[in-house]
Amino acid sequence: MGKTVVPIQAHPATDPAAAHSAIPTVEVDTDLLKRLGKNGPRYTSYPTADRFSEEFGYRDYLHAVAGLLTRGGARPLSLYLHIPFCDTVCYYCACNKIVTKRRDKAATYLSYLKREIAMQAALFGGMNEVEQLHFGGGTPTYLSDAQMDDLMAHLRRSFRFAPDEQGEYSIEVDPRTVSPERVHTLRRQGFNRISLGVQDFDPEVQRAVNRVQPELETRAVIDAARAAGFRSVSIDLIYGLPKQTLETMRQTLDKVVAAGPDRIAVYHYAHMPHLFKPQRRIVEADMPSSDTKLQMLQLCIERLGAAGYVYIGMDHFARPDDDLAVAQRHGHLHRNFQGYSTHADTDLVACGVSAIGSVGATYSQNVKTLEEYYDLLDQNELPVARGIRLGMDDALRRSLIQKLMCQFEVSIPALEQAFPIVFKDYFAAELAQLRQLEADGLVTVGPEWLTVTMKGRLLIRNVCMVFDRYLAAARAAGPRHSQTV
């Protein structure tokens, strides 16, 4: 194995001509990845969701929204809607979902979801322009055309939406649940970005995870999305699944590249059967070895880089002209619970069971069961189960970790200007830890910049973990995070 050099996009903050200069390289040092790989957060938030407390509830959320009104200068909103239902269970899945064939459950759920949407809209009256909408699950396309029509109409009555060319309105789709005609209907309903769960095209791998999905079926959905005028088509893959080999991964990547999506997410399968019951159906003997998984990661980076995709960070790749790549070049990339995002300056309003929102200096998460969800809404209360209010230290570390995750560097003077700190004093202990990462070639630490090297980008979670003051307590509670690589 050893070291491989793969082309990716330069970062313009340190190179203003990066978009037009020779493309630098990212190093895939598998020996280093093997040595430093460990369990750690994905940092879709900081503090991470396992730090949320039940001491934060509905009234704390109301207080956070009231704070926005008091401060004025309303920011645009991002909406997340969680549709938890699936027809069948995929064995690898770690999402909050309800597997059922009973369509009446969705009808009941939608009546309560619309009630929650109306309550949230009333709270945000006067500052309710939406620039970003994301439907996740579960399987959002579990809903029928008529149910989706009704839900979208309700959303538009409740909130003001930015024009189609300005807003980013996305939906996660299981290709097994939609026809080309349904894809055109989704576009008419207002969605302009579509994300397809593929995971792997190999039939044997698909059977091993109980997700049989013919390639032609997926290609038909992609072609329909192009014909319908979707602005972006994204594909999700997973490496480290049972029955996967380097050869099956290579064949899947070839098929994905041939399909030409705008964005590709390549997730590392986190096998945690002690936390996620469906994963207990996966045969341990079918799992690829740690060495094979690292070779798969290397293969993904090599193949997608050769096909012209920009490595955005973590597990995301995009075409150079895609909004994600453009946002990163301009320093506007953001990271939230849906992954990387182009809309940084928004409050995230989340509706549905288990949905997580971010309003002002708070995070909040809804209850996780339908019974609790319905009961609280019947009491005319938003179904907030837990959350956290950020102190100054949390906000500082969140800002720093966001910069590292999205731009791979932090301006120390800019951070000192935004927060009342002297960086070298406030983070003295962290700087001592960074010296080891610097010795390994993952970061460079100077008087003005903390920069993640091309070798360090694949281990960005390790770098961010240095600044996570909650991590020791989280480790004491047992493993709840996936491997960093």
Side-chain angles (χ1 to χ4, degrees):
M1 294 197 288
K3 183 184 294 184
T4 299
V5 174
V6 185
I8 67 167
Q9 182 66 47
H11 182 24
T14 50
D15 179 6
H20 307 289
S21 65
I23 298 176
T25 57
V26 60
E27 294 181 18
V28 183
D29 188 332
T30 50
D31 293 333
L32 191 64
L33 295 178
K34 188 189 303 184
R35 176 163 64 85
L36 296 182
K38 56 184 175 180
N39 292 331
R42 299 180 61 80
Y43 291 112
T44 51
S45 71
Y46 181 85
T48 52
D50 58 331
R51 297 294 94 201
F52 295 179
S53 166
E54 292 180 1
E55 293 178 6
F56 184 103
Y58 169 48
R59 283 158 187 78
D60 298 288
Y61 180 79
L62 294 181
H63 189 265
V65 178
L68 298 181
L69 290 165
T70 302
R71 287 193 296 274
R75 302 185 297 180
L77 297 179
S78 176
L79 287 183
Y80 173 71
L81 271 66
H82 190 76
I83 310 298
F85 303 104
C86 293
D87 271 322
T88 57
V89 63
C90 302
Y91 296 163
Y92 57 81
C93 186
C95 298
N96 188 280
K97 62 197 172 297
I98 298 163
V99 180
T100 179
K101 303 282 188 185
R102 288 184 51 194
R103 299 287 162 164
D104 58 310
K105 281 197 169 187
T108 303
Y109 180 74
L110 282 177
S111 67
Y112 281 92
L113 181 62
K114 287 163 62 178
R115 192 183 305 180
E116 184 187 7
I117 290 166
M119 293 169 68
Q120 291 279 15
L123 284 180
F124 285 87
M127 51 177 188
N128 65 348
E129 177 162 289
V130 173
E131 283 191 354
Q132 190 174 43
L133 171 70
H134 186 88
F135 274 60
T139 306
T141 44
Y142 185 94
L143 303 182
S144 67
D145 282 345
Q147 287 172 329
M148 189 67 79
D149 271 332
D150 181 54
L151 181 54
M152 293 299 287
H154 181 73
L155 282 169
R156 289 197 171 85
R157 287 192 299 269
S158 303
F159 293 91
R160 292 181 293 111
F161 281 76
D164 180 78
E165 62 274 10
Q166 179 185 343
E168 184 175 287
Y169 308 129
S170 60
I171 184 168
E172 298 172 10
V173 166
D174 179 344
R176 300 172 300 171
T177 67
V178 296
S179 63
E181 293 76 21
R182 178 85 194 268
V183 173
H184 282 265
T185 299
L186 290 171
R187 183 68 184 100
R188 287 195 299 271
Q189 286 166 336
F191 297 101
N192 55 28
R193 296 183 179 276
I194 191 168
S195 176
L196 279 64
V198 172
Q199 323 320 341
D200 193 293
F201 276 123
D202 184 81
E204 193 172 353
V205 175
Q206 291 181 355
R207 284 191 291 271
V209 297
N210 198 40
R211 188 187 175 100
V212 177
Q213 182 175 316
E215 178 192 354
L216 289 178
E217 199 173 72
T218 302
R219 286 297 298 263
V221 172
I222 295 171
D223 293 343
R226 298 290 188 207
F230 276 86
R231 221 164 50 227
S232 176
V233 177
S234 176
I235 279 182
D236 289 349
L237 301 176
I238 299 178
Y239 72 94
L241 292 173
K243 298 289 189 180
Q244 272 181 339
T245 66
L246 278 174
E247 185 54 36
T248 65
M249 196 80 218
R250 183 176 289 108
Q251 292 173 4
T252 288
L253 288 168
D254 287 345
K255 292 173 181 178
V256 168
V257 168
D262 302 281
R263 301 176 185 177
I264 301 169
V266 187
Y267 297 109
H268 173 227
Y269 169 59
H271 190 57
M272 295 188 283
H274 61 289
L275 293 179
F276 307 111
K277 191 174 180 180
Q279 294 185 358
R280 296 170 197 169
R281 303 188 194 183
I282 286 176
V283 179
E284 296 275 352
D286 290 340
M287 298 288 289
S289 68
S290 296
D291 282 351
T292 300
K293 286 190 284 187
L294 282 178
Q295 290 172 352
M296 287 177 182
L297 171 63
Q298 181 173 327
L299 176 65
C300 290
I301 293 172
E302 289 174 348
R303 184 68 183 90
L304 297 179
Y309 286 90
V310 174
Y311 176 68
I312 298 297
M314 284 284 292
D315 28 42
H316 281 63
F317 299 80
R319 291 189 174 281
D321 58 350
D322 183 82
D323 287 350
L324 274 187
V326 173
Q328 187 173 59
R329 287 199 297 271
H330 293 165
H332 299 152
L333 193 66
H334 181 62
R335 188 161 172 81
N336 61 23
F337 294 100
Q338 285 75 61
Y340 286 102
S341 166
T342 60
H343 290 252
D345 197 26
T346 60
D347 288 293
L348 173 61
V349 178
C351 298
V353 289
S354 77
I356 302 177
S358 174
V359 173
T362 69
Y363 292 111
S364 57
Q365 183 173 25
N366 281 352
V367 294
K368 294 185 177 181
T369 69
L370 293 181
E371 291 76 17
E372 293 174 292
Y373 184 70
Y374 298 160
D375 183 56
L376 287 169
L377 286 168
D378 280 338
Q379 297 174 46
N380 291 317
E381 285 194 10
L382 288 173
V384 176
R386 62 189 192 127
I388 192 168
R389 183 179 298 279
L390 278 65
M392 191 282 287
D393 179 78
D394 294 326
L396 164 63
R397 292 172 188 269
R398 175 171 73 171
S399 178
L400 193 161
I401 288 172
Q402 275 275 347
K403 288 292 184 186
L404 288 173
M405 294 293 294
C406 296
Q407 309 303 144
F408 296 111
E409 64 182 5
V410 175
S411 165
I412 293 172
L415 204 66
E416 291 176 331
Q417 189 172 1
F419 295 92
I421 65 159
V422 176
F423 189 89
K424 65 181 178 60
D425 297 334
Y426 196 91
F427 290 115
E430 288 83 357
L431 285 169
Q433 293 181 59
L434 286 177
R435 296 302 174 194
Q436 181 56 53
L437 297 185
E438 192 170 32
D440 286 324
L442 303 188
V443 298
T444 59
V445 185
E448 295 196 347
W449 290 94
L450 166 58
T451 304
V452 181
T453 66
M454 292 298 173
K455 183 190 292 188
R457 292 188 177 200
L458 291 177
L459 287 159
I460 185 60
R461 291 161 71 183
N462 294 56
V463 180
C464 293
M465 286 162 67
V466 169
F467 294 95
D468 187 339
R469 71 182 180 92
Y470 296 98
L471 206 51
R475 282 177 178 149
R480 296 191 63 85
H481 300 295
S482 62
Q483 284 282 107
T484 53
V485 289

